[in-house]
Amino acid sequence: WKEALNLSEMARGDCSPKVAGLANWTIGNVGFMAGKDREGVKYHQLASQALASINDVTQWGLFNKASAHMRLVANLLEPETLECIERAEVALEITAAAESDLLELVITRAWWELETGNLARANSLLHTVEEKVYDTYPFLLGRTLQLRSRCLHALGQGDEALAYAAKSEEIFNRVGAVVLASESRKILD
């Protein structure tokens, strides 16, 4: 965290809005990963202000997608998280973003729906993504199956939920995402 704050000092200098935005985005991510959620939010807000001023719609969309993800990791189920998702959806749709970015965004939207109790909507989104990532994006498939497992469990479909959790654990272990594999293992235990 101390190193990230050093970056903050450098970003306050005479730098472009894009550099300031990217620096604050990074600092915010470090804040979230260090469990300093309020600092993460603060620096993501600074990043948002700087990146909005450069008129790069793709960068703006990618930032909002990433910020929504970090907020969900931190379990910040507040209106600003949904606003990040919505801004990312609009920005990435009009800029014809990469397929993987669009799929990640749908997964993030489904995660939001799951966490806010819209289980049927979350399950529907995840089902659609599962079909699209099955042969091409193993990490995204693991993430989709893991969230789908949680969703199915909440819907009372325990056996199916366990099968999805086991498959996601297997995928995460195969791609080296051991932290996410352990999260899938917790679902199974």
Side-chain angles (χ1 to χ4, degrees):
W1 179 242
K2 290 179 184 178
E3 292 301 319
L5 293 180
N6 289 338
L7 180 59
S8 172
E9 290 301 317
M10 290 186 274
R12 285 192 191 132
D14 196 21
C15 62
S16 71
K18 182 173 185 172
V19 169
L22 294 174
N24 285 312
W25 180 357
T26 301
I27 297 163
N29 286 350
V30 172
F32 282 118
M33 288 186 278
K36 298 177 179 294
D37 299 340
R38 288 296 141 208
E39 288 88 346
V41 167
K42 171 188 166 187
Y43 282 98
H44 273 200
Q45 287 171 338
L46 293 170
S48 178
Q49 293 166 5
L51 293 172
S53 73
I54 65 171
N55 295 319
D56 182 337
V57 178
T58 301
Q59 189 74 60
W60 174 247
L62 294 173
F63 164 73
N64 278 284
K65 174 178 70 89
S67 187
H69 177 86
M70 295 304 290
R71 288 166 179 269
L72 286 169
V73 168
N75 201 33
L76 297 177
L77 305 176
E78 42 196 40
E80 293 81 10
T81 303
L82 179 58
E83 289 170 12
C84 287
I85 293 168
E86 291 170 342
R87 286 191 298 259
E89 288 169 340
V90 170
L92 295 181
E93 185 170 317
I94 63 173
T95 62
E99 179 185 44
S100 60
D101 288 320
L102 295 171
L103 291 168
E104 285 177 358
L105 183 55
V106 174
I107 293 167
T108 300
R109 167 60 87 162
W111 188 6
W112 167 264
E113 299 296 343
L114 172 62
E115 296 297 340
T116 58
N118 300 318
L119 302 176
R121 176 80 173 128
N123 193 44
S124 174
L125 289 168
L126 292 166
H127 177 73
T128 301
V129 170
E130 181 182 348
E131 294 172 351
K132 293 178 181 177
V133 300
Y134 194 81
D135 291 322
T136 52
Y137 300 103
F139 178 82
L140 294 181
L141 178 60
R143 191 70 183 119
T144 300
L145 297 178
Q146 184 184 64
L147 288 170
R148 192 130 190 245
S149 171
R150 291 182 51 216
C151 191
L152 291 168
H153 178 75
L155 289 167
Q157 299 173 24
D159 290 342
E160 196 174 353
L162 291 175
Y164 275 91
K167 183 66 175 168
S168 69
E169 180 188 28
E170 174 191 322
I171 292 168
F172 286 138
N173 280 324
R174 189 173 62 236
V175 300
V178 294
V179 171
L180 291 171
S182 70
E183 288 179 18
S184 294
R185 169 57 39 201
K186 288 178 188 172
I187 296 170
L188 291 166
D189 290 341

